[in-house]
Amino acid sequence: MTTFGHRQSLGYDRRATRLLTALYRRISTDIDTLAAPGATVLDLGTGPGKLLAHIATRRPDLTLHGLDLSPHMIDIARRNLAGHRADLTVGDVTDLPYPDASVDLIVSSLSMHEWPDLPAAFREIRRVLRPGATAALYDFRFARTREIRRTAGDIERENIRLPWHPVALVTRYRLHAA
C-alpha cells in the first residue's frame, strides 16, 4: 500500500483546513452524542489530525488516539495537535496496534475508500471495539458502497449533507460491536 509523501501530506493538510472543516464539525457533534465521558476514541486514517483537534477542543475528557499509514501525516498531526493530548501512531487499519476490546468509539473521515483490504479492516475494528461500542465511518457517498455493505455485514448507513453543498456527498456508516 502506498502512503502520502511529505509534499502530498502538506497539500492535504491545506485542503483539509479549507474544504473539510464543516465535515469535521459535523463529526465532532456526532461524537458528542456517541462518546460517554472519558471514552477512548480512535481516529482511523487521522491524516493531519484536523478531526482530532476539533474533537479535543470540544471534548477534553476523551482519551484520543489517531492512526495513519503515513509517517508524514502523523508528523503534521503532531504539529496540528500541539497543546492537545492525543496518542498518534503510524499503523495500518488491517493490523491495529491496540488490545482487544480496548476502544469505546472508532471514527474515520474520508479514508475508508483507501483501505485495500476491507474484510481485514472490519475484523480489526470489531476486535478492538469494546462490547456495545460503535464505529462511525464517514466516507464519500459513492465510494465502495456495495463492498462495504457486503463486507461489514450489519451496518447502518446515512447520507450526510454538508451546509455548503446541495446534495449529500458523504455517507456515515455505523457499526455496533456485539
Side-chain angles (χ1 to χ4, degrees), residues 36-57:
T40 298
V41 177
L42 170 59
D43 180 14
L44 297 176
T46 198
K50 299 291 186 177
L51 175 58
L52 280 179
H54 280 269
I55 297 168
T57 299

Side-chain angles (χ1 to χ4, degrees), residues 27 43-45 51 106-112 115 136-139:
I27 295 171
D43 180 14
L44 297 176
L51 175 58
I106 290 177
V107 66
S108 179
S109 60
L110 306 181
S111 87
M112 190 168 43
W115 302 349
L137 312 170
Y138 299 76
D139 213 329

Side-chain angles (χ1 to χ4, degrees), residues 1-6 9 42-48 66-75 77 88-98 108 111 114-117:
M1 178 187 314
T2 60
T3 66
F4 277 41
H6 181 68
S9 297
L42 170 59
D43 180 14
L44 297 176
T46 198
L67 179 123
D68 201 280
L69 196 56
S70 169
H72 303 290
M73 285 291 198
I74 292 296
D75 288 342
L88 300 169
T89 304
V90 175
D92 190 328
V93 69
T94 63
D95 187 23
L96 296 174
Y98 305 97
S108 179
S111 87
E114 299 283 352
W115 302 349
D117 189 347

Side-chain angles (χ1 to χ4, degrees), residues 82 105 118 127 144:
L105 175 63
L118 280 177
R127 179 185 67 76
R144 302 171 75 179

Side-chain angles (χ1 to χ4, degrees), residues 98-177:
Y98 305 97
D100 295 356
S102 61
V103 177
D104 298 302
L105 175 63
I106 290 177
V107 66
S108 179
S109 60
L110 306 181
S111 87
M112 190 168 43
H113 65 274
E114 299 283 352
W115 302 349
D117 189 347
L118 280 177
F122 282 116
R123 276 192 303 275
E124 281 294 280
I125 288 168
R126 284 188 171 90
R127 179 185 67 76
V128 302
L129 281 174
R130 287 192 172 111
T134 300
L137 312 170
Y138 299 76
D139 213 329
F140 296 111
R141 183 172 167 200
F142 301 108
R144 302 171 75 179
T145 302
R146 284 191 193 115
E147 186 181 2
I148 291 165
R149 291 166 96 182
R150 185 181 70 246
T151 303
D154 188 21
I155 192 166
E156 297 170 16
R157 183 174 170 248
E158 178 186 357
N159 292 332
I160 306 290
R161 191 181 75 73
L162 300 172
W164 51 265
H165 204 277
V167 293
L169 296 177
V170 174
T171 297
R172 178 184 67 196
Y173 298 91
R174 281 183 52 183
L175 172 73
H176 303 283

